[in-house]
Amino acid sequence: MGDADTPAWTYDTLKAWDHAHLWHPFSPMQLWLADDPVVIVRGEGNEVIDSEGHRYLDGVSSLWCNVHGHNREELNEAITAQLHQIAHSTLLGLTNVPAIVLAERLTSLAPVGLSRVFYSDAGATAVEAALKMALQFWQLSGQPRKTRLASLVGAYHGDTLGAVGVGYTETFHRFYRPVLPDCVRLTPPHVWQWQDRLSEAEALDRSVAEARDTLAREQETLAALIIEPVMQGAAGMWPQPPGYVAALREITSAVDVLLIGDEVATGFGRTGTMFACEQDRVTPDLLCLAKGITGGYLPLAATLATDRVHDAFLGEAHEGRTFFHGHTYTGNPLACAAALASLAIFEADDTLRRLAPKVDQLERQLAEEVAPLAHVADVRQRGVMVGIELAADASARRSYPARDRIGARVTVEARARGVIIRPLGDVVVLMPPLSVREDELDRLVTVVREAIVAVTEP
Ligand SMILES: Cc1ncc(COP(=O)(O)O)c(C=O)c1O
């Protein structure tokens, strides 16, 4: 390991320092410390390469964000060119070229009506900004009782406290429950978890009816409903039938509750269209973007707003209608330059059109090779977002005991076969970059099948 520019630390040194000093996110640290870490040193195309030269297919897009592959020349060049201009300058009281141009590009690509871009640097901060905008919007609009938020059961919108408040995953969030604001929950039309043995159409009807009743009942105190459109990701890959997002748009408009679309995971092609909202022809009042916005290269997020929301904040400075919110790296020029280069690749490569047959291939191969396995209970897919639900007894829908860590063990088996994936409990998640090749999809499905068999049918 190491070249002319980087010191050649040995694997053992890196392992010792990692174990002594790093605290890894979402990681049971006791287990981590008992294991040999994979130290990633390079990326190439849709693969990451470790310190020992092993190559792995990046089956979860480096946490759902890589879009066009690693080490893309165009992205490297755009970042380098911007680096020679300026790495960072603030958007507080100043502006900069990449931030301006990207705002123009994003508003022209996003669902019609989203005309304003507020930058931050992570999915959670995009969500925080949207929630605070929604709350302040109603205070500024003469409706001071609208101070509560609504979301979908099992939602995940990030790890800052505001985002945790509208999310709720027992495993992740139970320690913070006492300080979280009360949130109205709607049951999503997810058949496996919530709408047991209903057809998709029946689940849709039931969830829409519940949303209509609940939002009508709570409307006077509700500021906004936040949803992940089309696919609830970190909840466990829960897809929504077509029409659900449109129904929620119609209901929220009717009862004057803002609709926030969290497309941190689903945005930038992940569900097959540039934004998932497009599939139901919906414009939310606020749209949260992050992860894939820079092609997965640099931290950047954006909260897009309609004129209606933005204009409520207009007024003389002394009136105090300003959105008093911001982050040091808001509108970072390097990250915005990467985002512009990523959007240019979408056009140059015709990424979305070329993705469609790959989505079909993935669906076909999962149906043929993975769905029939004895312990695969459900395979869910939207675009290149996939959740494979494993169960001790698939037909009786009996889960494995949590202590068996079945999902985690499948990912370890996959890694030994050269594919990086991550589980959500016993749901094995696949989310390859949009640039994944047909032969790589083949490899992904074959390895995942082998890994599931190795763990569940030893
Ligand atoms: C839907 C959704 N919203 C928000 C977030 C938080 O994003 P970040 O990890 O960049 O803060 C995530 C992360 O997985 C997400 O999936």
Side-chain angles (χ1 to χ4, degrees):
M1 191 190 340
D3 54 31
D5 302 322
T6 53
W9 288 297
T10 64
Y11 177 82
D12 287 343
T13 305
L14 289 169
K15 175 181 164 181
W17 287 353
D18 177 288
H19 280 182
H21 305 299
L22 264 182
W23 190 340
H24 288 262
F26 280 95
S27 305
M29 284 304 289
Q30 189 169 314
L31 287 184
W32 176 269
L33 295 175
D35 213 349
D36 290 332
V38 174
V39 181
I40 298 299
V41 293
R42 226 154 54 78
E44 208 175 277
N46 303 309
E47 291 186 323
V48 291
I49 302 160
D50 75 10
S51 53
E52 312 310 291
H54 301 126
R55 303 178 79 96
Y56 306 88
L57 181 62
D58 190 355
V60 280
S61 300
S62 293
L63 212 56
W64 310 4
C65 63
N66 191 283
V67 177
H68 309 292
H70 297 277
N71 232 328
R72 277 288 298 236
E73 205 55 46
E74 302 93 311
L75 281 159
N76 293 0
E77 278 169 11
I79 294 167
T80 311
Q82 180 56 43
L83 193 54
H84 288 291
Q85 297 296 317
I86 188 167
H88 182 63
S89 159
T90 180
L91 281 196
L92 278 67
L94 295 172
T95 191
N96 71 67
V97 178
I100 296 170
V101 180
L102 179 61
E104 193 282 329
R105 289 288 294 131
L106 286 175
T107 52
S108 67
L109 280 172
V112 178
L114 290 161
S115 52
R116 289 278 163 184
V117 177
F118 186 92
Y119 290 115
S120 59
D121 43 33
T125 58
V127 168
E128 272 326 303
L131 299 177
K132 287 177 67 182
M133 281 174 185
L135 293 167
Q136 187 169 340
F137 168 82
W138 291 114
Q139 301 296 308
L140 298 175
S141 305
Q143 299 224 41
R145 292 188 61 215
K146 283 182 167 288
T147 56
R148 298 165 72 218
L149 299 160
S151 65
L152 300 183
V153 171
Y156 177 81
H157 295 290
D159 295 327
T160 53
L161 274 183
V164 169
V166 285
Y168 198 77
T169 306
E170 184 69 15
T171 321
F172 299 171
H173 297 156
R174 65 202 158 103
F175 303 110
Y176 319 110
R177 202 202 296 249
V179 300
L180 299 178
D182 145 59
C183 179
V184 174
R185 311 283 176 183
L186 303 179
T187 316
H190 173 45
V191 175
W192 170 265
Q193 186 81 25
W194 296 109
Q195 314 279 4
D196 196 16
R197 297 178 201 257
L198 294 188
S199 70
E200 257 206 0
E202 289 165 336
L204 177 63
D205 284 351
R206 195 188 274 191
S207 287
V208 169
E210 182 193 314
R212 203 177 293 287
D213 288 352
T214 307
L215 294 181
R217 192 174 61 243
E218 307 285 350
Q219 59 176 302
E220 284 184 10
T221 59
L222 266 191
L225 165 67
I226 181 166
I227 60 160
E228 267 189 278
V230 173
M231 183 74 129
Q232 268 182 271
M237 296 292 151
W238 298 348
Q240 300 154 7
Y244 184 58
V245 182
L248 292 181
R249 174 70 284 183
E250 184 258 306
I251 297 166
T252 48
S253 295
V255 297
D256 225 3
V257 168
L258 297 182
L259 180 66
I260 303 173
D262 177 352
E263 295 227 28
V264 168
T266 56
F268 300 98
R270 211 58 76 170
T271 66
T273 47
M274 187 57 106
F275 302 107
C277 283
E278 287 169 32
Q279 295 177 26
D280 265 9
R281 295 193 168 75
V282 158
T283 299
D285 300 284
L286 292 154
L287 178 68
C288 307
L289 304 174
K291 286 193 184 283
I293 190 171
T294 58
Y297 264 54
L298 288 169
L300 180 71
T303 305
L304 274 60
T306 58
D307 280 345
R308 179 189 180 213
V309 172
H310 170 264
D311 292 355
F313 292 69
L314 298 177
E316 297 297 328
H318 69 267
E319 293 176 60
R321 301 175 77 89
T322 303
F323 186 46
F324 292 106
H325 183 105
H327 301 278
T328 305
Y329 286 103
T330 291
N332 173 261
L334 280 182
C336 291
L340 282 167
S342 172
L343 293 178
I345 296 175
F346 267 101
E347 272 186 38
D349 282 6
D350 210 354
T351 305
L352 293 176
R353 197 187 53 76
R354 287 171 57 196
L355 184 65
K358 294 189 266 191
V359 170
D360 293 344
Q361 177 190 339
L362 186 56
E363 189 176 341
R364 198 172 53 249
Q365 287 189 281
L366 286 168
E368 285 167 10
E369 298 171 42
V370 172
L373 295 178
H375 293 280
V376 169
D378 197 24
V379 178
R380 306 186 280 268
Q381 180 185 356
R382 290 288 186 271
V384 281
M385 296 178 81
V386 174
I388 301 166
E389 181 102 34
L390 303 177
D393 184 336
S395 54
R397 301 191 173 196
R398 186 166 54 78
S399 306
Y400 284 102
R403 84 179 80 81
D404 288 359
R405 303 186 73 247
I406 290 290
R409 283 164 51 200
V410 169
T411 66
V412 171
E413 289 288 340
R415 195 204 297 167
R417 293 165 171 80
V419 168
I420 302 280
I421 49 175
R422 264 189 78 82
L424 287 162
D426 288 345
V427 177
V428 175
V429 174
L430 315 184
M431 210 183 295
L434 274 53
S435 54
V436 67
R437 296 190 314 262
E438 284 78 357
D439 61 303
E440 289 172 328
L441 279 177
D442 236 358
R443 176 174 155 206
L444 178 65
V445 175
T446 303
V447 164
V448 166
R449 177 193 156 83
E450 285 172 9
I452 292 173
V453 170
V455 173
T456 61
E457 304 175 41

